Amino acid sequence: MPFSFTVHIVEDDASLRASIASLLRSVDMGVQVYSCAEDFLRVAEPGTRGCLLLDVQLPGSSGVDLQARLKDMGHDLPIVFLTGYGTIPMTVRAMRAGAVEFLTKPFVQEDLFAAIETAMARDSERWESRQRDIGLRERFASLSPRQKEVLALVAAGRMNKVIAAELGITEITVKVHRRQVMERLDVRTLADLVRAAERLGVTGAPRAGHPEPR
């Protein structure tokens, strides 16, 4: 278990909250505990590593309501729901919103650990994806204004000769810029370049006639 991975337990039953925390700490998991949704919201930050063990029935905002609020705020912690009873509509709503698992109390340790392991894998995937995006944006920032124009036009599906006409440069120059953009963004194929542009939010074509940077 990576040191940076923390299980955030939001459970209003103090006895159960302490029991789960003790169990997880006994296997060297990082743990933080909260008695209500508002307590967690006060400290939650986008990009926090770990997962959320979230009771469905909480004082104030319910667990499902908290899930929706976190999503609206840009938080994407993997969530494992805990419930004394679970209706089918509630379960479907939570799972469609991205919940990892829905555990009915009393649950067995093996099921809890399995759910946390799944959440840990999902957390690692989102973290790695975020790190890739950060690296991609840093490389994108190093492009010249002209290279960014060429990238936008390529992403919009323009052919080299069309890009050349729109920007008032030669087709050979377009090919040079395109090759340099691919090298800077560390992509090998046109399909990879288009996908990178999508991840960067580069869509459509820039205003034509932009002067060639010196």
Side-chain angles (χ1 to χ4, degrees):
M1 178 74 63
F3 179 77
S4 58
F5 187 91
T6 300
V7 180
H8 300 270
I9 304 171
V10 184
E11 167 63 63
D12 64 320
D13 184 324
S15 177
L16 179 58
R17 185 172 67 242
S19 176
I20 296 174
S22 177
L23 172 65
L24 300 184
R25 286 172 178 145
S26 73
V27 292
D28 297 325
M29 291 188 188
V31 176
Q32 294 291 334
V33 296
Y34 315 87
S35 61
C36 63
E38 287 69 25
D39 285 350
F40 177 72
L41 285 171
R42 276 192 284 270
V43 300
E45 296 181 357
T48 298
R49 296 296 307 271
C51 74
L52 191 59
L53 291 187
L54 180 57
D55 188 15
V56 170
Q57 298 297 323
L58 292 169
S61 298
S62 72
V64 177
D65 290 337
L66 175 58
Q67 180 189 34
R69 290 173 66 184
L70 289 172
K71 186 173 183 179
D72 289 342
M73 295 166 63
H75 296 275
D76 56 355
L77 270 178
I79 297 176
V80 175
F81 277 102
L82 309 175
T83 181
Y85 66 93
T87 65
I88 292 177
M90 180 190 299
T91 303
V92 170
R93 176 185 170 190
M95 297 303 287
R96 283 181 174 174
V100 172
E101 186 56 90
F102 218 93
L103 299 179
T104 301
K105 306 171 190 176
F107 45 81
V108 297
Q109 293 183 16
E110 289 77 9
D111 289 343
L112 177 62
F113 285 135
I116 291 175
E117 184 176 354
T118 300
M120 181 176 68
R122 186 175 296 183
D123 177 71
S124 294
E125 290 172 0
R126 74 186 181 99
W127 181 258
E128 290 168 3
S129 176
R130 182 176 288 114
Q131 294 305 111
R132 286 195 298 270
D133 286 344
I134 290 173
L136 180 61
R137 292 190 180 282
E138 289 175 348
R139 294 192 295 275
F140 175 72
S142 73
L143 298 180
S144 70
R146 178 62 88 202
Q147 289 170 339
K148 291 177 181 178
E149 286 183 318
V150 171
L151 173 60
L153 288 165
V154 170
R158 303 288 201 278
M159 301 294 290
N160 288 339
K161 63 174 62 178
V162 176
I163 295 174
E166 290 195 24
L167 298 182
I169 57 179
T170 68
E171 189 173 349
I172 292 177
T173 301
V174 171
K175 291 179 179 178
V176 170
H177 282 313
R178 179 167 151 176
R179 185 185 71 251
Q180 291 173 339
V181 168
M182 294 179 71
E183 290 174 351
R184 289 278 185 88
L185 298 185
D186 193 25
V187 298
R188 297 180 180 277
T189 67
L190 175 59
D192 290 338
L193 183 62
V194 172
R195 280 192 289 269
E198 290 175 350
R199 286 167 57 194
L200 290 164
V202 177
T203 58
R207 178 176 57 85
H210 192 284
E212 179 81 45
R214 297 180 180 178

